[in-house]
């Protein structure tokens, strides 16, 4: 998990660097903001995995509030083959009882990685949320943005 987080940080740093370069070039008049071949357009904004992660992150705060049993969601995502058994094991380590907040953090960290790898996983996650009345509204909002 730590290795994946390191890779994710490096990728985000690279995107931020490209964005900063783009903004500097734009401010100096070196780039036409409507040009489809700008460095910004070729980095973050058009990749479906990044767009899906942005949608997921947009709903983080509300998800932390409404998600009362992350293990139930994780078990369904496991049966849907979105996450692996190792994530379930990390969410409920033997001899240790993780708090709901910590379980949610593990689940969300994993979800961000699998959504970035395959944006369709966001649709599956949104559909899973729709199965529970307490998370149905946010699930529908995610699915609406995903389309």
């Amino acid at each position: 998990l730590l290795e994946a987080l390191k890779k994710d940080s490096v990728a985000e740093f690279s995107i931020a660097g490209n964005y900063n370069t783009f903004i500097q070039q734009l401010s100096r008049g070196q780039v036409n903001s409507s040009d489809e071949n700008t460095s910004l357009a070729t980095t973050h904004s058009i990749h479906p995995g990044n767009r899906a992660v942005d949608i997921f992150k947009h709903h983080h705060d509300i998800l932390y509030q409404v998600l009362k049993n992350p293990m139930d969601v994780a078990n369904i995502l496991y049966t849907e083959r979105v996450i692996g058994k190792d994530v379930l094991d990390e969410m409920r380590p033997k001899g240790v009882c993780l708090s709901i907040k910590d379980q949610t953090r593990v689940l969300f960290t994993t979800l961000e990685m699998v959504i970035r790898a395959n944006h369709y996983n966001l649709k599956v996650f949104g559909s899973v949320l729709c199965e529970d009345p307490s998370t149905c509204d946010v699930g529908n909002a995610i699915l609406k943005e995903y389309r």
Side-chain angles (χ1 to χ4, degrees), residues 20-31:
N20 187 36
T21 301
F22 170 74
I23 295 299
Q24 289 173 353
Q25 290 173 343
L26 186 61
S27 68
R28 289 190 298 254
Q30 295 173 330
V31 175

Side-chain angles (χ1 to χ4, degrees), residues 2-146:
L2 288 174
E3 193 62 35
L5 289 173
K6 287 178 188 175
K7 289 179 183 177
D8 193 41
S9 294
V10 169
E12 287 182 9
F13 183 77
S14 175
I15 290 168
N18 290 340
Y19 181 75
N20 187 36
T21 301
F22 170 74
I23 295 299
Q24 289 173 353
Q25 290 173 343
L26 186 61
S27 68
R28 289 190 298 254
Q30 295 173 330
V31 175
N32 180 352
S33 63
S34 63
D35 184 2
E36 292 180 19
N37 295 319
T38 62
S39 59
L40 179 62
T42 59
T43 57
H44 182 70
S45 61
I46 62 171
H47 189 276
N50 289 337
R51 181 179 163 274
V53 168
D54 289 344
I55 293 169
F56 175 69
K57 285 182 175 181
H58 176 77
H59 295 281
H60 261 204
D61 291 341
I62 190 71
L63 283 166
Y64 269 109
Q65 293 172 16
V66 300
L67 192 62
K68 302 300 181 204
N69 195 342
M71 281 306 303
D72 287 347
V73 173
N75 282 318
I76 296 169
L77 292 171
Y78 173 71
T79 61
E80 295 288 333
R81 297 181 180 193
V82 171
I83 63 173
K85 186 169 180 343
D86 57 323
V87 177
L88 295 179
D89 293 342
E90 190 175 345
M91 290 177 69
R92 57 171 180 231
K94 292 185 190 301
V96 179
C97 184
L98 289 182
S99 68
I100 299 293
K101 184 178 179 180
D102 287 340
Q103 288 178 348
T104 303
R105 187 174 32 78
V106 170
L107 178 62
F108 285 4
T109 300
T110 303
L111 278 171
E112 186 174 330
M113 290 184 299
V114 299
I115 289 168
R116 187 177 312 281
N118 181 353
H119 63 91
Y120 181 76
N121 289 327
L122 179 65
K123 183 177 181 182
V124 175
F125 176 62
S127 297
V128 168
L129 293 175
C130 288
E131 294 177 15
D132 182 343
S134 67
T135 57
C136 188
D137 288 344
V138 70
N140 283 325
I142 288 171
L143 291 174
K144 183 177 179 181
E145 284 184 55
Y146 178 75

